[in-house]
Amino acid sequence: MSNSTQSNDKPESQQPQQQKPPVLEEDDEFEDFPVEDWPQEETEQASGSANGTSAHLWEESWDDDDAAEDFSKQLKEELKKVEASS
Amino acid sequence: MTSVFEDFEQGQRIGSGPRLAAALTPVAPAEYPERLQSFYRSSNAARLSPDLRYSLFQANGLKLPKQEQNAWIDIFSLYWTAIGEITRFSDAPSSASWVKVFNAWKDLVNMIIRGYTNFGLQAWTLPCLYVVGKYLRIFAMKADTELASQDSGFGDSFQDDITSEFEKSAKLEEAARIINRMFTLCLSDRAPIEESRKWGVYNTTNLLFKTYFKLNSVGLSKNLLRALNASSADLPDLEAFPKSDIVTFKYYIGVIHFLDENYAEAEQHLAYAWNMCHRNARKNRELILTYLIPCHLVTTHTLPSKTLLAPFPRLEHLYRPLSNCIMKGDLNGFDNAMSAGEEEFVKRRIYLPLERGRDIALRNLFRKVFIAGGFDEPKDGQPPVRRTRVPIAEFAAALRIGTHADDRSRVDIDEVECLLSNLIYKGLMKGYIARERGMVVLSKNNTAFPGTGV
């Protein structure tokens, strides 16, 4: 029985962390494994290391291949606007 | 097509806990759908005890110590009663009720707990405890749903929200208390470790974690962890337990730290769970990654690769747009991706750490400014050095790119300085702001943006 103010539009909630965290859905539950135990070869780790290391699973967060030329050009354009407005 | 009694006999003869637990499973196997009915019809309330004594022991010549034998007869009597309530759902639906199933099942669970404390049930039979605990929780949730649907039928909808909030999971709360006793039953066993119920500690802990999460009382899990830590010296190493126990345990510990915003610790536990998880357990792997990815973003500033997410379209959908925007330093795109995914992020409780990705996106944007700045004139034969004195106006211009600012929006230099000093404070950028000269002086020797090679 929600008594939320439905007359308002859905607010642009800027701090969703202040909302009460919702109960996890049924389908979010960690499942029972069909077997009790398994050998190391059947673990995720073993299947990951089969093709080398597991390093390829995570990437650096920046991208140096991005067209640096374009960015420089764009930066110069915007710089003019900054200088004009300040 | 094995009957309840055959499972019991075989379990006892070969000393197999799982086989014994199969006898107490309240779900018929696919190849024998009538199993529960046939067990229920094998006796009636008036003759139950002698019938069970005959079928469990006399008919097959199985011998156990007397008090243990009697305990099993009591256990199967209560099981019979509970099965009677369960089979109503197919045989007499109008009188079937999950509340009745739960209550009957609860009596069974209590009897089994007593079997261990008072009647000498041995530790190898612990899978029986696991299976009745597992279904206690399931029946409690069904009973709560049933009660809620009855309430809404004739209850007044203006009743106090707080009361209904409490009553909503009354049966599950009750189940939690009983499962907690199961946990204590295992943890406090003083028998030598080979025959100790301590081997049941993680299984019952996990069941309790699941219950507390469902009840939205994650805080109660910490009492459990304290109890476990206090006895850690008496417990076998985690590695000695079956992987199903430890992967589940590590997942929940990881999520508990995650919700406390201890991302470094959360990452350790989740990475362990990920590495040890069975590679075919797709759903569980997806759940582990759901929390492991935000941890990586916060602690090591790394993003999931295409290879990692390929088997998980839901995660790809959840994380790819954000990851792309972080890489490109696209702040506007990042904000849009955050609001597009907000509902899902809040639901999964991953909004907070993901929000921190904005700093990484900003770092990447400012890093591009630094790289676009090129190199200072090399001094007599020295290798070229990047220009480390960068006008604040250039960062302001980059910010206009990153936020897709239109021509009318003005640039607030104070705000740019604020963002810069924030990044410097967080260690994502190294240097200082020389305000009077309108410059940022960045650290030399490839340390201006620590960890990123420049």
Side-chain angles (χ1 to χ4, degrees), chain B residues 3-25:
Chain B
S3 71
V4 168
F5 298 118
E6 283 164 321
D7 274 337
F8 178 79
E9 187 204 341
Q10 282 308 310
Q12 290 287 1
R13 286 203 193 283
I14 59 178
S16 159
R19 187 73 194 267
L20 198 61
L24 288 168
T25 302

Side-chain angles (χ1 to χ4, degrees), chain A residues 27-29 36 44 78, chain B residues 137 244 283 285 348 400:
Chain A
D27 69 341
D28 286 338
E29 203 159 81
E36 194 193 17
E44 176 63 36
E78 294 295 330
Chain B
R137 185 175 153 277
S244 59
K283 171 77 184 301
R285 287 163 67 226
R348 311 252 163 204
R400 288 181 56 85

Side-chain angles (χ1 to χ4, degrees), chain B residues 175-188 200-213 215 217-232 235 248-249 252-253 256-257:
Chain B
R177 286 193 291 276
I178 298 171
I179 298 168
N180 202 333
R181 284 174 49 217
M182 293 171 41
F183 165 74
T184 313
L185 175 76
C186 293
L187 188 67
S188 61
V201 156
Y202 289 110
N203 193 296
T204 49
T205 299
N206 292 337
L207 195 55
L208 214 39
F209 279 161
K210 281 188 190 178
T211 311
Y212 289 153
F213 271 69
L215 285 170
S217 314
V218 178
L220 293 176
S221 310
K222 288 172 197 159
N223 301 337
L224 270 188
L225 291 180
R226 268 193 289 278
L228 275 177
N229 281 337
S231 336
S232 59
L235 283 174
T248 310
F249 180 71
Y252 278 102
I253 301 280
I256 289 165
H257 282 295

Side-chain angles (χ1 to χ4, degrees), chain A residues 13 27-29 31-32 36-38 41-42 44-45 56-57 59 61 64 66 78 85, chain B residues 137 210 243-244 274-279 283-285 303 305 342 348 363-364 367 400 410:
Chain A
S13 48
D27 69 341
D28 286 338
E29 203 159 81
E31 289 176 348
D32 288 340
E36 194 193 17
D37 208 354
W38 47 89
E41 305 89 78
E42 288 174 23
E44 176 63 36
Q45 189 173 41
H56 64 291
L57 300 179
E59 321 181 314
S61 63
D64 280 338
D66 210 11
E78 294 295 330
S85 74
Chain B
R137 185 175 153 277
K210 281 188 190 178
K243 291 195 183 61
S244 59
W274 169 257
N275 284 332
M276 288 301 128
C277 192
H278 194 282
R279 61 178 171 224
K283 171 77 184 301
N284 286 346
R285 287 163 67 226
L303 298 171
S305 70
E342 181 178 315
R348 311 252 163 204
R363 189 270 315 267
N364 291 342
R367 186 176 171 277
R400 288 181 56 85
R410 279 181 50 85

Side-chain angles (χ1 to χ4, degrees), chain A residues 16-17 19-25 28, chain B residues 209-219 221 251-252 254-261 263 290-292 294-295 314 318-319 338 341-355:
Chain A
Q17 64 271 28
Q19 295 169 2
K20 192 175 190 296
V23 180
L24 292 177
E25 303 278 320
D28 286 338
Chain B
F209 279 161
K210 281 188 190 178
T211 311
Y212 289 153
F213 271 69
K214 186 80 193 172
L215 285 170
N216 227 1
S217 314
V218 178
S221 310
Y251 168 77
Y252 278 102
V255 175
I256 289 165
H257 282 295
F258 184 92
L259 296 175
D260 274 349
E261 298 174 46
Y263 299 112
T290 303
Y291 297 98
L292 188 54
C295 285
R314 197 184 63 81
L318 207 56
Y319 288 120
M338 281 303 281
E342 181 178 315
E343 198 180 324
E344 186 78 1
F345 295 149
V346 171
K347 193 180 117 193
R348 311 252 163 204
R349 311 193 207 183
I350 50 181
Y351 189 95
L352 277 184
L354 291 181
E355 212 180 19

